[in-house]
Amino acid sequence: MYKLPELGYDYAALQPSISAEIMRLHHDTHHQGYVDKLNAALQGNDALQALDIEQLLGEVATIDDTKLATAIRNQGGGHYNHSLFWQMMSPDGGGEAKAELLDALNERYGSFQSFVDEFTSKSASVFGSGWCWLMPNMDIITTPNQDNPLMNGESAPILGLDVWEHAYYLDYHASRADYVKAWWDVVNWDFVNERWRGK
Ligand code: MN
């Protein structure tokens, strides 16, 4: 059984970037929904239930049962992506990446601001629902719906941004750009750096 992880901070902790109302709905309703539907889809399948979530998503391309594969992609992806997302933000976040990660971003993008601009631009380009990711090799990629790089046999991302409307509509209405701009103020660079060092 997969379980909904704790947020690790109060619902209101990311204000004003993200309201308590959004955090409560996003975590308690949306994320809980992914977990519940994933568990329902895997019921009776001991082999798949024994996998951790990264293994499960890594194997989704090999599952022939289309209905099951779709459930793992959507619900399992939703569970994994959101579990990361909560940790990739912090009330003490914002500012710039640090140490070697900052060096790597500077080397690839010329400056931290250029990286932010590129990531922001890519996140704006997602049509409909999806995610924008920073990969360990400093690539910035996007995936539709609740897909993520693991499903394509790629590495685990080190930073991700949820650009589904449910992530921002209550606070920013149709302005995804305002949400992304405010999100940079809560990015947990310590966590991103840890993930990258463990890459
Ligand atoms: Mn979401």
Side-chain angles (χ1 to χ4, degrees), residues 26 30 34 82 85-86 131 146 162-164 166-167:
H26 203 172
H30 291 282
Y34 298 125
H82 288 85
F85 190 51
W86 311 135
W131 290 74
Q146 295 297 356
D162 185 348
V163 295
W164 281 58
H166 70 219

Side-chain angles (χ1 to χ4, degrees), residues 103-181:
D103 293 342
L105 288 168
N106 281 333
E107 190 179 324
R108 174 67 177 271
Y109 295 98
S111 69
F112 183 75
Q113 188 57 51
S114 297
F115 154 71
V116 167
D117 292 345
E118 179 71 15
F119 191 100
T120 298
S121 163
K122 284 260 171 73
S123 68
S125 76
V126 176
F127 179 73
S129 300
W131 290 74
C132 188
W133 308 101
L134 175 63
M135 299 296 286
N137 66 1
M138 301 295 115
D139 282 353
I140 299 167
I141 63 171
T142 65
T143 54
N145 306 312
Q146 295 297 356
D147 285 8
N148 63 46
L150 294 175
M151 298 174 188
N152 305 323
E154 295 168 27
S155 308
I158 59 171
L159 175 66
L161 172 60
D162 185 348
V163 295
W164 281 58
E165 282 188 347
H166 70 219
Y168 60 88
Y169 210 84
L170 283 175
D171 289 347
Y172 299 99
H173 305 282
S175 183
R176 184 188 290 174
D178 287 342
Y179 157 64
V180 176
K181 189 161 181 259

Side-chain angles (χ1 to χ4, degrees), residues 1-7 11 22-41 74-83 86 146 162 166:
M1 291 280 278
Y2 292 97
K3 280 178 64 182
L4 181 70
E6 297 281 332
L7 260 191
Y11 296 113
I22 282 193
M23 290 303 294
R24 188 183 297 275
L25 272 171
H26 203 172
H27 178 265
D28 294 9
T29 304
H30 291 282
H31 191 169
Q32 182 73 65
Y34 298 125
V35 170
D36 291 346
K37 287 172 190 160
L38 176 62
N39 285 329
N74 292 341
Q75 315 304 338
H79 174 43
Y80 175 81
N81 296 347
H82 288 85
S83 297
W86 311 135
Q146 295 297 356
D162 185 348
H166 70 219

Side-chain angles (χ1 to χ4, degrees), residues 38-130:
L38 176 62
N39 285 329
L42 296 184
Q43 206 163 25
N45 193 323
D46 294 344
L48 291 180
Q49 279 180 343
L51 301 177
D52 70 34
I53 189 67
E54 288 203 358
Q55 293 172 319
L56 181 68
L57 299 180
E59 293 200 2
V60 72
T62 68
I63 295 172
D64 293 330
D65 179 338
T66 310
K67 195 175 162 206
L68 179 60
T70 301
I72 292 171
R73 199 167 264 279
N74 292 341
Q75 315 304 338
H79 174 43
Y80 175 81
N81 296 347
H82 288 85
S83 297
L84 278 182
F85 190 51
W86 311 135
Q87 299 175 81
M88 288 166 169
M89 300 186 289
S90 162
D92 305 317
E96 293 195 352
K98 292 165 202 138
E100 294 92 344
L101 177 58
L102 180 59
D103 293 342
L105 288 168
N106 281 333
E107 190 179 324
R108 174 67 177 271
Y109 295 98
S111 69
F112 183 75
Q113 188 57 51
S114 297
F115 154 71
V116 167
D117 292 345
E118 179 71 15
F119 191 100
T120 298
S121 163
K122 284 260 171 73
S123 68
S125 76
V126 176
F127 179 73
S129 300

